[in-house]
Amino acid sequence: MDPIALAVIGGTGLYRLADLADVETLQPETRFGTPSGPVRVGRLAGHRVAFLARHGEGHSLPPHRINYRANLVALQQIGATRVLALNTVGGITERFGPRVLACPDQLIDYTWGRVSTICEESGTEVIHVDFGEPYTRALRREVIDAAQRANVALVDGGCYGATQGPRLETRAEIARMRRDGCDLVGMTGMPEAALARELGLDYACLAIVANWAAGAGPDPDEVITLQDVLDNVAAASEGLPALLRALLPQ
């Protein structure tokens, strides 16, 4: 059987890959428990691609309750070595308005209380991974090059700030994040990226900007609604199938 060429983790508003053909459903169990849902494995442009909905296919899991360890280990167990994380985010700085796609290169973790390492259990060997560059450089480069080949607009770089959720942030929190150097804000970027590093997986983030973060847009009094988020995610994702095809081995 052909290897898994790419594993994709979908965020809010992205619960399946519509272009997957000959889909089989896998229900892996891991040493860390059950992942968010079934892993759908099918063919895209002649290659085997796996997809997992991070929040569950019915969006039933809030960010702090996701079993990030089980999700990544499940993908590793079926043979995935390259993971593209799709993250629905808010935009903080000027380049990152609604419906923008971005491939961030840095990360700040504001989450708390999440199991953030595979070294949690007593007696487990402690791993100290280098995390100065939180996304795999080579895979990031492939994503950026694939977007260019597919003629999909993509912002190269940016700092993702990971917050606890599930509530959205206050204006003061976003102002602090801007001072800290964050360009994007989301709720699921960590501990996923760090766990991928501990597991030796190549990992990159494709951030889909669904809205301006609180106080960041041209209308400081804008109220963010779920429908606006979903509409913007759908619009920003129109080029995603072409980008994924370009990202697969040619």
Side-chain angles (χ1 to χ4, degrees):
M1 184 177 292
D2 295 341
I4 301 291
L6 182 70
V8 179
I9 301 177
T12 299
L14 297 162
Y15 309 117
R16 65 189 184 99
L17 287 181
D19 289 1
L20 276 186
D22 303 324
V23 176
E24 60 176 321
T25 298
L26 305 180
Q27 304 272 5
E29 284 292 326
T30 79
R31 66 187 186 274
F32 298 119
T34 304
S36 295
V39 180
R40 311 291 184 181
V41 180
R43 290 204 169 267
L44 183 65
H47 296 278
R48 292 181 76 221
V49 172
F51 180 83
L52 173 64
R54 185 185 288 111
H55 295 277
E57 294 182 345
H59 198 91
S60 58
L61 293 169
H64 65 291
R65 296 296 299 274
I66 292 168
N67 191 337
Y68 295 94
R69 299 195 299 177
N71 285 352
L72 289 167
V73 170
L75 295 175
Q76 189 177 55
Q77 283 181 184
I78 66 170
T81 60
R82 300 160 75 237
V83 177
L84 179 64
L86 307 181
N87 294 86
T88 301
V89 300
I92 297 175
T93 55
E94 290 70 20
R95 292 191 301 160
F96 299 92
R99 306 192 177 191
V100 163
L101 292 180
C103 191
D105 59 356
Q106 273 301 325
L107 180 60
I108 298 178
D109 187 8
Y110 300 93
T111 66
W112 49 269
R114 303 181 183 189
V115 179
S116 58
T117 176
I118 62 172
C119 311
E120 181 77 9
E121 285 70 25
S122 177
T124 304
E125 179 186 359
V126 177
I127 303 171
H128 298 286
V129 294
D130 187 307
F131 203 54
E133 195 169 348
Y135 304 108
T136 304
R137 180 183 297 182
L139 185 54
R140 276 197 72 253
R141 187 71 259 165
E142 290 179 36
V143 172
I144 294 159
D145 290 346
Q148 291 176 343
R149 289 195 299 273
N151 198 29
V152 174
L154 179 71
V155 177
D156 175 3
C159 181
Y160 179 124
T163 59
Q164 183 70 1
R167 67 164 177 85
L168 299 179
E169 301 74 29
T170 68
R171 294 182 190 176
E173 288 169 332
I174 294 300
R176 179 188 67 160
M177 293 177 74
R178 182 191 290 268
R179 292 192 298 270
D180 287 350
C182 295
D183 301 290
L184 303 161
V185 55
M187 302 173 188
T188 56
M190 283 292 285
E192 194 172 271
L195 291 167
R197 182 62 51 84
E198 289 185 345
L199 291 166
L201 295 168
D202 288 335
Y203 179 92
C205 168
L206 184 62
I208 302 166
V209 184
N211 53 272
W212 286 112
D219 179 3
D221 296 321
E222 179 184 15
V223 176
I224 301 167
T225 69
L226 178 59
Q227 191 57 53
D228 289 338
V229 167
L230 296 177
D231 289 346
N232 287 335
V233 169
S237 301
E238 288 180 357
L240 185 58
L243 190 156
L244 291 177
R245 285 190 172 89
L247 181 58
L248 294 168
Q250 301 300 303

